[in-house]
Every structure is written in structure tokens, then in C-alpha cells.
Amino acid sequence: MTVTASERRRALFLGSMGGGLEFYDFVIYASFASQIGKTFFPDEAPAARLLAAFAIFAVGYLVRPIGGILFSHFGDRHGRKAMLRVSIAGMAGATFLIAFMPGYASWGISATVLLVVLRMVQGLCLGGEIPGAMTLITETMPKRRGLACGFLFMIINVGMLAAQAVQWAITHLMSETAVLSYGWRIGFFVGGLVAIAGFFLRARLSESPAFAEMEAHAHKVPLAALFRDNGRAVWLGLFITGLGAATVPLLYLYMNSYLTDFLKYDPDQVATAVLIGIVLFSLPMPVAGLISDFVGIKVPAFIASLILAVAAIPAYIWMHQGVSELLPAMIVISLIAAFAWGVGPVLLTAIFPTDVRYTGVAFVYNIGFAIVGGLTPLTATFIIQQTGFMLAPGFLLALFAGLATVAIFLSNVLPSGKTGRD
């Protein structure tokens, strides 16, 4: 099946939209958790409302593995394109409903229950979105799949930056009362608009050529085939995913709280350093992927993850030298992390064969981010509070980067980037 250049570009752009929306949704909800808590929960203590809001936030991420299994089951049986349209349609509907639904004052406990249901719908859809995009674009662009995955994950991080920009604009241009009344809803309205546009644009997607060739031989239960024939790849994929799942929260999502609460650094300087870090973590990813297209995936992935494992603890020590050292330390560690995780996603698509690729990527990606991504900030905080060991985040990052290095070394990816089964 011949794929035209325009079809490859379309797959790359439209496949990346949902990934950007995922991190947009992540940051928007967390940024307005206080207002969401006041809107959907009864008049309790502020801490209790905030805790309840984040509990619902967590529910959306806990159901992602279920969504990954569900969407990938049909994606490996009936095609990647259809599942990507369903996933972004579900996100659009749930996001718009959150933007417009009444709060507790109008609907009582029904509003709270509906918020939980909508967050679960978002989580289920997102569980199939990024793995589906990874699978579709790499199968559509097999000779440039490193570049494709690098671009996808750059757009994912752009979504995080876009959410921060929208949140900053809302909080700076509106009064506190207006933000609580309707301002926070604007963030979800914007996300819903993007998702609706993505749904209609994705009608123009072409099916993955690799799936089209094996469709007649699709498994009835791809998950069963995954564990029966690819158990080793599943374990390796979980450890490779752990690299990205530890890097993103520890270096960016958790860093503000870590540096301001424990090291008492100036919040504005911390926010600036983290923002620059996110940009430098994002922009080189297509370059890292492109390098792997020319020299093979395994060697650059191994070298970059090994460097990150070695550099993680010294980078945190560097940050501890004072707030003036924070920015240069973030620049260095972010560039290293960009090349380490910039190749990781394409490696995930390479270790699974076409017949269970969507299922394999969805399983390891969602489980890895749910467990490692969800628990590393909590673990770091617990260690610091119990032992006073302030370098705990650096050691956790080094640990998961080291485990990923071993997994990459043990993977059966050939120098060409193939597994021998494609």
C-alpha cells in the first residue's frame, strides 16, 4: 500500500493533536483545582475541597489503562483510524460538558457525580489516544518513525505550555471572583474546541498501511496474544516507559513544589526555570528521533538514557547550590532528558509486532505512567519527610533512567530499528 507525502504529513499532524490535548487537560484541571473544588463540592474546609478535586483528577488517570486496553483491542482488530476519531470525540464531549455543567449549588450531589463520570470518560479516551497516535504515525511513516514520534511528543509538551498560557491569561486578566464564577470554564471550553476540530479533521486520516496488510489476520483478543507471544517485550516496555514517566513529573510537574516548599526558592525564579526547562525538553525531541532514523534506535536510546542516569543526581546537587544555579542546571538536565525520552516512544513501537502493536504500546505506556508517573512525586515527598534526604527526586530519576538503560540493552531491536518480526 503506497502512502503519499500528504497522507504522511496529515497523519503526523492530526495524530499529534490528541496528545497535545492530553497534557493541556492535565495542566488546566490541576491549575484550576481550587475553583473546581469550590464549584462541585459542598461548603467544607478548603483543604478538603482541594483534596476532593484532586481525587477526581486522579480517577481520570487511574482509568487510563482500562481505556488503553479497550481502545487498543478494537484498534488492533478493526483499525487505528476509527479509534483515534472515537477517542477525540469522547474527549471533546466530556471537556465541553465540564465547561458548561452547573455546579453543586444548582444540581447538588448530581453535579459531583457527573464530574466524576466525565473525568472517567476523559481518562478512558486518553488511554487510547497517545498509544493510537504513536502506532498510526510510525506505521504510516516507517522510514521516519523516529522523527514522527519525536514530533508527537514535542506537541504533547506544547499542549502543557498552551495550558499554562491559557491559565496565566485567565488569572491575570480576570478578577478572582470572575475566575471562580466562569473563568476556569474558559480553559475547558478552549480544550473542547480543539478536540471538536480534531474530530472533524481526523475524518481525512488514512488507515495505517501496516494494519491494512495484516487486517485479515488480526487476533480476536489482541491482549491475550500480547501476553502469550510478547511477554518479554511487555516487561522491557514497562521499564522503558518508566524513563519518561519519571522524567516528566520529577523535572517539571513536581519541581515547583519541591523547590519552593523544601528549598524555599523564590517561586517566580522557579517558575521561569521550569518553563525554560519544558521548552528545552520539548524542542529537541524531533531531532533526537531523526537521529535514530539514520543511525538506528537502540544505540542513541541506550547512550542518552545512560547519560541521564549518570547526570540526574549531579544535576540535583547543582540545583541545591542556590537559586542562581537553578536555571543552568535545568537547561543541562532538560537537554539530556530530551534526547533520552525523545527516542523512547519510537522504541516502544519497535519492540512490538504489527498484530499487537497498538495493544502493547497502550498497555506499557498507560501502566507505566499510571504507576511511575503517579507515585514518584509521592515517593520523593515521603522520603524527604521521613529521612530529610533532599536528593530523593534525583535518585529516583537516576533509578528509572538506569532501569530503562538496561531494558534498552536487552531489547531485540536491530540496528535498523526493526525487531525481526515486522
Side-chain angles (χ1 to χ4, degrees), residues 96-121:
F96 254 120
L97 286 174
I98 291 175
F100 289 106
M101 63 182 285
Y104 186 89
S106 300
W107 282 10
I109 193 66
S110 298
T112 306
V113 172
L114 182 57
L115 179 63
V116 174
V117 172
L118 292 176
R119 283 297 296 174
M120 291 180 70
V121 171

Side-chain angles (χ1 to χ4, degrees), residues 304-395:
S305 61
L306 179 60
I307 293 174
L308 181 61
V310 172
I313 297 171
Y316 274 82
I317 294 175
W318 191 0
M319 295 177 199
H320 280 237
Q321 301 305 305
V323 70
S324 62
E325 300 298 317
L326 175 59
L327 181 56
M330 283 295 293
I331 289 173
V332 171
I333 196 64
S334 294
L335 289 172
I336 295 172
F339 281 87
W341 183 233
V343 189
V346 70
L347 188 60
L348 293 180
T349 67
I351 63 176
F352 296 107
T354 303
D355 58 337
V356 293
R357 181 169 290 128
Y358 193 166
T359 300
V361 172
F363 183 85
V364 300
Y365 183 87
N366 286 304
I367 293 294
F369 269 84
I371 296 176
V372 179
L375 295 181
T376 45
L378 179 65
T379 303
T381 302
F382 179 79
I383 293 172
I384 293 170
Q385 290 177 338
Q386 295 298 313
T387 67
F389 183 59
M390 301 297 291
L391 296 176
F395 272 81

Side-chain angles (χ1 to χ4, degrees), residues 215-258:
E215 183 175 8
H217 306 288
H219 299 287
K220 289 185 177 180
V221 185
L223 187 65
L226 173 71
F227 287 110
R228 183 185 66 238
D229 303 326
N230 301 273
R232 184 172 181 271
V234 169
W235 282 108
L236 295 177
L238 287 171
F239 286 119
I240 294 169
T241 302
L243 172 64
T247 298
V248 173
L250 289 175
L251 286 183
Y252 308 111
L253 304 180
Y254 175 66
M255 189 63 79
N256 279 288
S257 299
Y258 169 68

Side-chain angles (χ1 to χ4, degrees), residues 30-112:
S31 298
F32 291 115
S34 176
Q35 289 82 3
I36 291 171
K38 292 175 183 177
T39 302
F40 290 100
F41 297 96
D43 188 17
E44 300 174 350
R49 285 198 302 262
L50 189 61
L51 182 63
F54 273 111
I56 291 180
F57 171 76
V59 166
Y61 275 80
L62 290 175
V63 300
R64 281 176 56 178
I66 300 174
I69 292 172
L70 181 65
F71 276 87
S72 64
H73 171 82
F74 292 102
D76 274 333
R77 289 195 64 188
H78 304 295
R80 289 62 160 118
K81 172 185 173 179
M83 291 301 99
L84 284 177
R85 291 203 77 201
V86 172
S87 68
I88 205 164
M91 285 193 291
T95 304
F96 254 120
L97 286 174
I98 291 175
F100 289 106
M101 63 182 285
Y104 186 89
S106 300
W107 282 10
I109 193 66
S110 298
T112 306

Side-chain angles (χ1 to χ4, degrees), residues 44-304:
E44 300 174 350
R49 285 198 302 262
L50 189 61
L51 182 63
F54 273 111
I56 291 180
F57 171 76
V59 166
Y61 275 80
L62 290 175
V63 300
R64 281 176 56 178
I66 300 174
I69 292 172
L70 181 65
F71 276 87
S72 64
H73 171 82
F74 292 102
D76 274 333
R77 289 195 64 188
H78 304 295
R80 289 62 160 118
K81 172 185 173 179
M83 291 301 99
L84 284 177
R85 291 203 77 201
V86 172
S87 68
I88 205 164
M91 285 193 291
T95 304
F96 254 120
L97 286 174
I98 291 175
F100 289 106
M101 63 182 285
Y104 186 89
S106 300
W107 282 10
I109 193 66
S110 298
T112 306
V113 172
L114 182 57
L115 179 63
V116 174
V117 172
L118 292 176
R119 283 297 296 174
M120 291 180 70
V121 171
Q122 286 181 320
L124 290 170
C125 293
L126 291 172
E129 174 62 38
I130 292 182
M134 290 167 63
T135 302
L136 177 71
I137 64 177
T138 54
E139 290 180 347
T140 304
M141 303 175 62
K143 294 182 179 180
R144 291 290 179 264
R145 57 182 172 181
L147 173 64
C149 262
F151 183 84
L152 167 63
F153 277 81
M154 182 186 74
I155 295 300
I156 287 173
N157 291 329
V158 167
M160 182 162 52
L161 292 172
Q164 289 178 324
V166 170
Q167 186 265 345
W168 182 91
I170 290 171
T171 55
H172 281 75
L173 297 177
M174 303 175 67
S175 67
E176 186 175 339
T177 301
V179 172
L180 175 60
S181 176
Y182 64 90
W184 68 267
R185 298 177 182 273
I186 296 174
F188 286 87
F189 177 76
V190 171
L193 282 181
V194 175
I196 287 176
F199 171 76
F200 287 106
L201 288 172
R202 280 183 173 178
R204 301 176 61 202
L205 274 174
S206 299
E207 185 54 81
S208 152
F211 174 80
E213 291 178 4
M214 56 74 59
E215 183 175 8
H217 306 288
H219 299 287
K220 289 185 177 180
V221 185
L223 187 65
L226 173 71
F227 287 110
R228 183 185 66 238
D229 303 326
N230 301 273
R232 184 172 181 271
V234 169
W235 282 108
L236 295 177
L238 287 171
F239 286 119
I240 294 169
T241 302
L243 172 64
T247 298
V248 173
L250 289 175
L251 286 183
Y252 308 111
L253 304 180
Y254 175 66
M255 189 63 79
N256 279 288
S257 299
Y258 169 68
L259 294 174
T260 56
D261 293 347
F262 293 116
L263 299 187
K264 308 302 180 184
Y265 284 174
D266 176 65
D268 289 337
Q269 289 180 279
V270 171
T272 299
V274 171
L275 180 61
I276 292 173
I278 293 172
V279 172
L280 294 178
F281 175 65
S282 307
L283 294 182
M285 285 188 170
V287 177
L290 188 61
I291 291 172
S292 73
D293 289 331
F294 285 99
V295 304
I297 304 168
K298 187 169 184 175
V299 173
F302 176 83
I303 293 174

